[in-house]
Amino acid sequence: MKKLLIGILIGVPYWLMAQYRTELNKGWQYARADKVKEGGAALSQPIHALAGFRPAQVPGTVLTNMLRDKEVPDPFYGMNNERIPDIYHTGPAHYTYWFVNDFKEKAVQGKDVFLHLRGVNYACDVFVNNKKLNDATHKGMYLRQTYNISSLLNANGNNRLAIIVYPPDPPGNPNGGQGGDGRIAKSVSHQYVAGWDWIQPIRDRNTGIWDKVYIERTGIVDVRNPHVITLVPGVRKPNGPQQPATLKVSAELLNNAGREVKGSLQYTIAGKKVSKPVSLSPHELKEIQLPDLKMENPKLWWPAGYGKQDLYKLDLQFIEQGKVTDKEVVNVGVREIQRVWNATTLSSEFRVNGQKIFIKGGNWIISDAMLRLSDERYDAEIRYHRDMNLNLIRIWGGALLERPEFYKACDKYGLLVFQDFWMSGDCNGRWVDPKKAEDQDTRRKYPDDHGLFLRSVVDGIKLIRNHPSLAIWCGGNEITPPDDILAAMRDSLLPQLDGTRVFFDYSNSDSMSMKILGGNGDGPYNIQPTDTFWKFRTYPFNSEVGSVGTGDYESLKRFIPAENMTPPVYTPAAGDQRAREKADSVWEYHKYIGYSKYISPYGPVRDVPDFANKAQIVNYDQYRALMEGFSAHMWSWYTGTIIWKTQNPWTALRGQMYDYYLDPNACLYGLRAGGEPVHVMYNPVEGNVMVVNNGFTDLNNATVRFEAWTMNGEKIPIGHSLAQLPATSVITSLNIKAKVDELRAQQGIFLRLQLENDAKKGLSENIYWLPDASGEYSGLQRIQPAALAVTARHIKAGKVEVMLSNKAGNPVSFFNRISLLHPATKERILPAFYTDNYITVLPGATRTIQVEYDEHAIKPILSVEGWNSPIKTVIPASPVNPK
């Protein structure tokens, strides 16, 4: 095993935050390779004319650039994807392209200049100024490349980079199977591009220079691959003085010179400096461990909902003769993550800084299916997950090792990360599958090049290991890697290169969660009666449990043509005929998952807007009930759950809290409500009022109040009770089932629960709409209009406060969607972040909501529309002091 590890580590590329670095993200050109006569040596000469080349966007893929040039229609709209040739049918030449960039850089004595490629899919040859840089064709989507180009730079500073990019081979047949025919997994690449049950195939399989390209200048000694470990002993709390924490820092140093170099490696953090003298032989690569630092009274990093996400800046430098030759900056979150076994639930339990964390997670595929990644989009998506009251994101194994920019956002917002490596049960042989080209035993050995997979693992660990949000490594989705890969990862690579995080061999591992029900260990994935989440015990740490997720009409209009705007039709079971749901072909192409019988209790569907509005009510109810049901059994049945899934990298009609265009639907706000850190809730099975306290502090002498509201706005008090709420626990209050069932029998009711602390401050409010005795929402179908008074004002640039008031004597104003609109287009401003939405306002009550958005230069319009409240638009008042 030691020989294997040494072989993997030799020549591993690195990534630096160095003194000088320039991203090459402008001035690129591209051309189809079989249309170009010259080879790479000629193309990479700056004086060579680039006939037939066109402007390109890098990072970018062949398909994103073709879309940019309008050579292909938008594959996210309608059935357009069927109009784009698939690589399986065209052959690889159709998507094999040259990418060329002219850049300015001169050689400087005593400095070295490096070219970094952070991600090319799938294979490439690289040329600079008439010289090929790689001896053998580079392969591997995730494996970074680094080339010293100092000796190749032209004296006049005019240089040219030329890269020919080859697609994955084989690309796989997109035959409708999960991952198509499975052969996409023969390469070390992402698998969803051959199609899945939530996405259509990506026609070029994302061939291209998909991640960042940099030019970097360093001194004689490079600082490479720093590693920062924080140890936080004991049981901590987010506030107050802290006992010390320990910081362990190491880094690799490379001497680029042909002479011995003596100097010191040092870092500074929080005003403290740690240093160590170093001697490096000519061209030596050495890992240096610095002395431990005892951090007094540190500010700790906590998951979302439990505390702040404090980060420290660590400056790491190598100094020779008083001069800095190279440096790197690492943002450090001081925290320690532990995993213990919960013998009651039979699952893993996670602790951060000694405190139990009930995992509320979401499954993540990728930000954009065509790899159009950006810092801004990552930030918005991770913020949405924070706003869902989640504390963990799982990166599904058929996609990426996520980018540092993703992890930066998770560090910022407090989302722990469960990172799968690149395996899936569907492609890698978990099951016999007639859709697959090769048999199960053969697929069990995928990928073809195990050494490449392991080199990519090494590189990936070093890329992201310093992020405090990274909590869990996982060998693959629903399957373990082949034995030799698994042994190397588990026994050598992860212990040596990280050593601080738990490793699960696969996402349904018994070491994570026992399969108490048998089967695969995850699911279900479709709509459920809401009481199922309360009464049915599923897997104790379920890595994938999901439901519906269709957006509203504004969302649907973005990708479904007008002629296909036909609502799905559900036909209940009759006689020997099974229940069925039929949807338009475009809806089916976009992977619509049915709502079954759960729309009709709200009344007959009139049209698509009506269907979509009723779907939002169901969405909210589903995901509130899901998180409440799991929270109600915290530590007795469950240590956590992970929803399948919370975001869509494509325009699919399933598994999303917000759509591809970053427009939230009611799933997000139902999940937000059900996942409150301190939350009062109604058990629909037993009729008990329950309260969950996820915090680390007891809440004593709290009061729980419960009342009903009729459809015409009459308040009916039911009662109240005192509650003692121990930290990280759930308690049961009064049983009110008999009274609730009596009140709702005729036409349904609204049930309002409130939780107050001993100072009468509201901690949680929860409003349910309950059906009549037959399960119909007959009262909602007949409820009278309730006109809201709506006011809005800018608190500051980019932040609006909205007040919704329902006059006393009115009916309840039910399920109001607030939307911030562009004044010219009248379309929603996206992304926008609402402190709440789909809001029910009781008679005599006022609800205050805040909205944040980025387009500060515009003066938005605000609209509000509810189930029984007509649409109303207002222009938010300008702030008193716009600064």
Side-chain angles (χ1 to χ4, degrees), residues 226-298:
H227 188 196
V228 180
I229 295 173
T230 58
L231 302 178
V232 184
V235 179
R236 307 299 182 94
K237 288 193 174 181
N239 302 313
Q242 298 288 345
Q243 293 297 309
T246 300
L247 199 67
K248 294 177 173 289
V249 178
S250 64
E252 297 168 9
L253 300 180
L254 174 65
N255 179 8
N256 289 312
R259 62 174 176 85
E260 182 184 38
V261 174
K262 292 185 178 181
S264 63
L265 179 66
Q266 69 174 42
Y267 71 86
T268 57
I269 185 172
K272 302 292 184 180
K273 181 185 291 185
V274 176
S275 181
K276 183 174 183 176
V278 176
S279 177
L280 297 170
S281 301
H283 303 294
E284 182 182 11
L285 174 65
K286 181 188 293 187
E287 184 173 12
I288 305 298
Q289 181 72 51
L290 286 125
D292 292 353
L293 173 66
K294 185 178 181 180
M295 294 186 70
E296 300 290 344
N297 194 26

Side-chain angles (χ1 to χ4, degrees), residues 741-819:
D741 287 349
E742 174 192 335
L743 292 172
R744 72 180 181 90
Q746 295 300 314
Q747 57 178 355
I749 57 164
F750 295 98
L751 176 64
R752 182 195 194 195
L753 308 180
Q754 294 173 282
L755 179 69
E756 300 172 344
N757 64 12
D758 55 1
K760 306 302 180 185
K761 178 183 177 182
L763 300 176
S764 175
E765 180 185 57
N766 201 355
I767 298 176
Y768 298 90
W769 49 97
L770 302 179
D772 60 28
S774 67
E776 298 290 312
Y777 294 92
S778 54
L780 284 178
Q781 295 181 43
R782 297 191 295 268
I783 193 170
Q784 294 301 302
L788 288 177
V790 180
T791 60
R793 66 184 182 96
H794 278 94
I795 301 173
K796 62 179 182 179
K799 190 170 186 178
V800 174
E801 183 179 79
V802 186
M803 299 181 73
L804 308 180
S805 298
N806 189 13
K807 186 173 62 175
N810 270 356
V812 174
S813 176
F814 177 55
F815 215 67
N816 292 276
R817 163 85 192 219
I818 303 172
S819 298

Side-chain angles (χ1 to χ4, degrees), residues 535-569:
K535 68 184 181 183
F536 177 74
R537 183 177 184 178
T538 183
Y539 304 104
F541 191 165
N542 196 328
S543 62
E544 296 182 9
V545 57
S547 186
V548 288
T550 295
D552 69 2
Y553 185 57
E554 293 303 312
S555 173
L556 297 176
K557 287 193 298 184
R558 298 186 184 106
F559 62 94
I560 294 182
E563 60 268 25
N564 300 102
M565 282 294 189
T566 303
V569 176

